[in-house]
């Protein structure tokens, strides 16, 4: 009897040991089925979204501008269908138009200690303007003195980048001894650490990267020694030609972004050139967080960011939105910069706009460069 009791006491433990792998298998099977159901549901939702004209266009153009979600477009549509949508919404061809520097007249600075006259402008003025759109919230920083705006970078030398990658926008601002800034140009985000800039990067007259054909449609956006904003298509230049152009125009600070409207990408750069807004087909793009830079006729630099991707309930701004804002506030020239999860604005000790990525919700991505305001 005692032996039987002992055997009975051991059976539950043995049975438990035997059931552990089975229970783990059941749990894994449940998780797998649950994930599959979610995937199928999301796929069906995408199919429903893409069944309607306006929503289909917005969805496709929006995801093509993202860094990691481009594949969603090809899940529900063919390359030819995607290209047709992009062609129907992209911005008009800008052509080979150069910046007319004569349209920018830098004011005579006020004398220290004296109130500026009508002919003078307070060059120390920085204005922060909140703008509410239907699908976005925007913040516009207007810096009266363009010489205060430059590019900060983590580059250690020409094409020499730190192993740990870039720093946050706050880090760039603080390292430069600046008061504010926004994220800059296109960069390698493969490891989410702001590894290095793409295209061309110039900071305080030093050329840290010079690969104008590294990606298709590379456009330089920067400032000259005379504090004039330049927006130059360098995509057909060799490194020798772009370096010569940088020297001849006296480019002191510059980053790059990409003009590309295809089934695998949907980027745009030029917004306003020589006072003429770029032609827009539809919204001109999808809806996303945005960063842009512009210059008024009086030389003031305009730094603009918008939210999106669910932040504060907003989906984001379109190319048409950026053009409307820039022209409304007097931009003679304006360009789109890297946006999406990279978009951020920092000013006077805090973020006015954070990254929309969950794990950077109180900061920004690590960036290899940024426009800063000293």
């Amino acid at each position: 009897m005692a032996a039987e009791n002992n055997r009975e006491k051991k059976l539950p433990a043995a049975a438990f040991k035997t059931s552990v792998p089975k229970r783990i298998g059941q749990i894994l099977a449940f998780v797998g089925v649950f994930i599959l159901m979610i995937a199928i549901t999301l796929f069906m939702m995408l199919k429903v979204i893409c069944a309607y004209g306006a929503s289909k266009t917005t969805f496709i153009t929006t995801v093509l501008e993202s860094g990691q979600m481009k594949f969603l477009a090809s899940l529900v549509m063919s390359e030819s269908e995607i290209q047709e949508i992009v062609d129907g919404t992209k911005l008009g061809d800008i052509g080979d138009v150069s910046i007319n520097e004569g349209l920018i007249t830098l004011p005579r600075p006020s004398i220290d200690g004296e109130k500026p006259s009508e002919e003078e402008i307070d060059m120390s003025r920085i204005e922060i303007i909140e703008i509410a759109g239907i699908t976005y919230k925007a913040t516009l920083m207007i810096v009266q003195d363009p010489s205060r705006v430059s590019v900060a970078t983590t580059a250690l030398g020409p094409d020499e980048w730190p192993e740990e990658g870039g720093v946050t926008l706050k880090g760039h601002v603080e390292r430069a001894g600046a008061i504010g800034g926004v994220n800059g140009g296109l960069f390698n985000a493969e490891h989410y650490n702001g590894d290095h800039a793409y295209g061309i990067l110039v900071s305080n007259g030093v050329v840290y990267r010079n690969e104008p054909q590294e990606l298709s449609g590379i456009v330089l956006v920067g400032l000259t020694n005379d504090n004039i904003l330049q927006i130059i298509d360098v995509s057909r230049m060799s490194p020798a030609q772009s370096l010569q152009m940088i020297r001849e125009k006296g480019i002191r600070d510059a980053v790059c972004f990409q003009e590309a409207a295809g089934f695998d990408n949907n980027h745009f750069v030029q917004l306003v050139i020589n006072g003429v807004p770029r032609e827009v087909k539809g919204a001109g793009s999808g809806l996303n967080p945005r960063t842009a830079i512009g210059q008024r006729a009086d030389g003031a630099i305009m730094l603009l960011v918008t939210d999106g991707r669910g932040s504060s309930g907003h989906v984001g701004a379109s190319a048409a939105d950026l053009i409307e804002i820039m022209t409304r506030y007097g931009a003679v020239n304006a360009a789109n910069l890297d946006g999406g999860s990279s978009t951020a604005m920092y000013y006077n000790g805090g973020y006015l706009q954070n990254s929309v990525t969950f794990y950077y919700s109180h900061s920004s991505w690590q960036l290899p460069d940024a426009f800063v305001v000293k």
Side-chain angles (χ1 to χ4, degrees), residues 200 220 232 234 237 240-251:
I200 295 173
L220 176 145
I232 304 170
V234 297
M237 294 184 185
Q241 290 171 326
S242 60
L243 186 60
Q244 181 180 358
M245 178 274 295
I246 290 170
R247 300 305 184 208
E248 289 178 351
K249 288 191 172 291
I251 303 293

Side-chain angles (χ1 to χ4, degrees), residues 308-360:
R309 296 188 182 174
S311 176
S312 301
H314 299 136
V315 290
S318 66
D321 292 325
L322 297 186
I323 292 172
E324 189 280 323
I325 294 172
M326 284 296 187
T327 53
R328 189 199 324 171
Y329 286 92
V332 174
N333 298 297
N336 184 43
L337 297 171
D338 190 24
S341 297
S342 302
T343 287
M345 177 181 283
Y346 188 87
Y347 179 66
N348 202 22
Y351 280 96
L352 304 185
Q353 172 74 50
N354 296 329
S355 168
V356 296
T357 305
F358 176 74
Y359 42 87
Y360 287 126

Side-chain angles (χ1 to χ4, degrees), residues 60-138:
I60 294 297
T61 53
T62 295
V63 298
L64 288 178
E65 294 169 356
S66 69
Q68 307 298 327
M69 306 300 289
K70 293 180 176 65
F71 73 94
L72 291 176
S74 60
L75 281 181
V76 293
M77 305 193 76
S78 66
E79 290 184 4
S80 60
E81 289 174 318
I82 294 171
Q83 188 66 59
E84 183 179 356
I85 288 175
V86 172
D87 289 341
T89 58
K90 68 181 182 180
L91 298 173
D93 293 335
I94 199 69
D96 191 17
V97 182
S98 300
I99 297 297
N100 181 355
E101 298 186 13
L103 297 176
I104 308 297
T105 302
L106 298 178
R108 181 167 62 92
S110 58
I111 301 172
D112 291 342
E114 294 185 9
K115 183 179 179 180
S117 67
E118 293 182 0
E119 294 78 24
E120 297 173 332
I121 294 179
D122 181 4
M123 299 297 281
S124 66
R125 185 173 63 195
I126 295 178
E127 188 176 3
I128 303 295
I129 301 172
E130 298 291 337
I131 303 168
I134 296 175
T135 60
Y136 65 87
K137 181 186 75 174

Side-chain angles (χ1 to χ4, degrees), residues 150-163:
S150 59
V151 171
T153 181
T154 53
L156 305 175
D159 266 337
E160 185 181 356
W161 307 89
E163 291 184 5

